[in-house]
Amino acid sequence: MQINLTGHHVEITDSLRDYVNSKFSKLERHFDHITNAHVILNVEKLQQIAEAKLNVSGGEVFANSQHEDMYAAIDSLIDKLDRQIIKHKEKLKQK
């Protein structure tokens, strides 16, 4: 899986990049047909926003999350994507 990481009004540090990569590896364990992930980290006033669009076999999955801490926003984003990936995987099995 290729991960494109973009930062708006925030500098993408090595620790932030490593954190995102380690969290997205969790998604690959549940569904290995993820081809591309575009992750945008954004700061607006006091809110840290993380959003991601995944290209998977059979469609796309999108989620976003807001929190006061960027790492917590990434954690929440991964949880949302994980639920959607599992749901997408179940839909593919039913076909």
Side-chain angles (χ1 to χ4, degrees):
M1 168 175 55
Q2 178 185 355
I3 299 174
N4 298 328
L5 189 58
T6 306
H8 290 263
H9 308 291
V10 64
E11 182 181 340
I12 305 297
T13 61
D14 288 338
S15 62
L16 203 54
R17 185 176 303 277
D18 292 340
Y19 191 75
V20 168
N21 288 334
S22 67
K23 290 295 181 175
F24 272 84
S25 66
K26 174 185 172 187
L27 292 179
E28 272 191 309
R29 281 184 267 158
H30 287 151
F31 189 64
D32 56 349
H33 298 292
I34 302 172
T35 56
N36 192 2
H38 187 88
V39 182
I40 300 172
L41 304 178
N42 193 358
V43 176
E44 290 182 6
K45 296 187 180 179
L46 297 176
Q47 287 295 315
Q48 313 286 329
I49 303 168
E51 60 184 47
K53 182 177 82 170
L54 304 179
N55 293 327
V56 296
S57 62
E60 286 184 349
V61 176
F62 177 82
N64 62 356
S65 175
Q66 290 182 320
H67 201 272
E68 295 165 357
D69 178 40
M70 184 61 80
Y71 291 98
I74 293 169
D75 287 340
S76 175
L77 175 72
I78 293 297
D79 291 340
K80 289 178 181 181
L81 287 171
D82 196 30
R83 285 192 301 267
Q84 289 184 28
I85 287 288
I86 291 171
K87 189 175 178 181
H88 179 75
K89 187 176 174 181
E90 294 298 321
K91 282 183 181 178
L92 288 178
K93 282 184 181 179
Q94 291 175 356
K95 290 183 179 180

